[in-house]
Amino acid sequence: MQQNRRRDRRPVRRAGADREPAPAAPVVEGADVVLVGFFSGKQKDFGALMDAAAGELERRGARVVGRVVQRRGVSAGGAARMALPYSSRTLLSYGKVRETAALCARTRAEAAVFAWPLTDRQRRVLTRMLGVPAVSLEPDADEAA
């Protein structure tokens, strides 16, 4: 006879008052920011895309004090997963998140600006892990969906 499977399932998380709100996007005007990009290994022009994103931030009045690039599929890994993020929570690998947090602390950055759209959940998780607000340069993924 089979056991009832309900007993070993994790409880369902309900959206409610216990969840912290996503941080509001800070005004980048006059702020020191770290620019973070996520690119597939197939995308060869990632340097030009990062330069364009830095130029856009500078036009908005921000000062880019550091850059972090996460490339997927450059080293060992499946070709079919190249365009997918390492983590749905952070887009980045855990080591790259730690590297970004250290860069933000070292440069005293006021925000981490992602050249990739972030969901509310990603923004919350990254803000907590990086110690500075995580915002998107592009429109939010939640709004685009």
Side-chain angles (χ1 to χ4, degrees):
M1 187 163 120
Q2 289 183 333
Q3 284 186 334
N4 185 354
R5 298 286 297 171
R6 284 189 204 176
R7 187 174 47 187
D8 56 297
R9 287 190 183 158
R10 291 181 7 193
V12 177
R13 283 186 77 177
R14 304 267 185 228
D18 62 332
R19 296 186 73 185
E20 61 190 59
V27 178
V28 294
E29 187 175 329
D32 290 344
V33 299
V34 170
L35 179 60
V36 184
F38 171 80
F39 303 100
S40 167
K42 293 179 181 177
Q43 196 160 11
K44 303 298 182 202
D45 62 342
F46 70 92
L49 293 171
M50 288 293 283
D51 290 341
E56 174 63 25
L57 284 170
E58 288 172 4
R59 277 191 291 284
R60 294 183 187 181
R63 190 171 137 242
V64 178
V65 295
R67 295 181 186 196
V68 176
V69 174
Q70 174 78 66
R71 294 191 68 208
R72 177 74 187 255
V74 177
S75 59
R81 296 188 317 218
M82 263 193 185
L84 299 175
Y86 278 102
S87 165
S88 62
R89 291 179 61 221
T90 64
L91 294 177
L92 310 172
S93 65
Y94 182 66
K96 197 59 75 169
V97 171
R98 285 192 326 226
E99 179 184 325
T100 304
L103 180 61
C104 288
R106 189 172 59 249
T107 60
R108 294 190 174 118
E110 298 169 53
V113 179
F114 283 73
W116 191 273
L118 297 173
T119 64
D120 282 340
R121 179 179 183 215
Q122 290 167 340
R123 207 170 7 302
R124 276 193 305 271
V125 169
L126 286 165
T127 295
R128 191 170 44 246
M129 292 176 82
L130 298 176
V132 295
V135 296
S136 296
L137 181 62
E138 296 181 14
D140 294 345
D142 286 340
E143 292 173 9

